[in-house]
Amino acid sequence: MKLARSNFLSLFILLLCAVSGVGQENKQFNKDGLTFDYPSVWVLQDSSNADAQQLILGKSDSESQIRVFVFRTPVNTPERVAEAKKVLVDSYVNSTAKQFEQIGAKPERLSAATDIGGVKADGIKVQAVMDGETGAAEIYWGVAGERLVLLTYFGSDKARKQTIAAWDTVRNSVKVAEPVVAKPTPSPK
């Protein structure tokens, strides 16, 4: 009886690890002060430009997607944070909701919050029913390293449920380096 219970417990732990993604190998993105981990089976597309680092993560057998935007302009005062939210975040949320409307869905916006790499992040969950299936775009933003970080997690509820471990890996590992301030060089006397 003890042996059967031990085998059952071992099998349960093995299944739990497989479902949770424990043991899954990760890659690390590290460029221009932005670092984060992501599962090695996911594909990363980098379409960064002078204004922002823009990265899209996807997996060929899933309709879920993770987007990482880190704007390069420093947001180091409450006024700049408010301006960045108004100009960048609000327009992005509105654009996302409009995309749902264009495919015939009626999006609903719900307030949300999470952490991005240990930094408190506000958010909006834009959810809708499409072709009889519930889906959403979870959009979160916060300031790290004096830069606005915007993360989005897209997909049907079913797809997002299957890829939540990848989302947590990315979201929890995001780090943005503090800006390097050049020290003034002393002038010769």
Side-chain angles (χ1 to χ4, degrees):
M1 183 71 167
K2 231 180 198 182
L3 183 60
R5 191 176 327 161
S6 175
N7 286 343
F8 176 77
L9 184 59
S10 296
L11 180 61
F12 177 75
I13 291 171
L14 182 64
L15 287 172
L16 183 63
C17 289
V19 169
S20 68
V22 172
Q24 172 176 286
E25 287 197 31
N26 290 327
K27 289 184 177 179
Q28 185 177 70
F29 176 84
N30 185 351
K31 186 176 179 185
D32 297 340
L34 169 64
T35 61
F36 62 86
D37 297 330
Y38 64 97
S40 60
V41 295
W42 284 59
V43 176
L44 182 136
Q45 297 174 329
D46 187 346
S47 57
S48 300
N49 58 39
D51 295 325
Q53 289 176 273
Q54 301 178 43
L55 305 136
I56 298 173
L57 293 150
K59 190 176 170 198
S60 63
D61 64 348
S62 176
E63 64 182 44
S64 66
Q65 185 182 86
I66 300 168
R67 293 185 183 178
V68 180
F69 297 101
V70 180
F71 295 91
R72 296 185 192 275
T73 302
V75 286
N76 49 13
T77 65
E79 296 80 19
R80 284 194 169 182
V81 171
E83 181 183 355
K85 183 188 179 302
K86 182 179 176 185
V87 172
L88 302 170
V89 175
D90 292 349
S91 63
Y92 180 71
V93 169
N94 291 335
S95 171
T96 301
K98 194 168 281 193
Q99 288 175 349
F100 278 99
E101 291 169 359
Q102 289 172 342
I103 59 172
K106 294 180 180 166
E108 179 183 359
R109 298 179 193 200
L110 304 168
S111 294
T114 192
D115 285 345
I116 298 173
V119 174
K120 181 187 174 304
D122 293 321
I124 297 283
K125 182 177 182 180
V126 181
Q127 66 181 22
V129 177
M130 300 164 285
D131 298 327
E133 192 170 355
T134 308
E138 294 182 47
I139 304 167
Y140 299 98
W141 60 90
V143 176
E146 295 186 7
R147 293 170 66 191
L148 179 70
V149 176
L150 182 72
L151 295 184
T152 308
Y153 186 33
F154 288 101
S156 68
D157 289 352
K158 181 181 176 182
R160 288 182 310 112
K161 187 175 183 178
Q162 293 171 345
T163 58
I164 192 73
W167 166 245
D168 287 341
T169 296
V170 172
R171 181 180 59 78
N172 290 323
S173 65
V174 168
K175 300 285 183 243
V176 179
E178 293 292 327
V180 177
V181 179
K183 294 181 182 179
T185 53
S187 55
K189 291 187 178 187

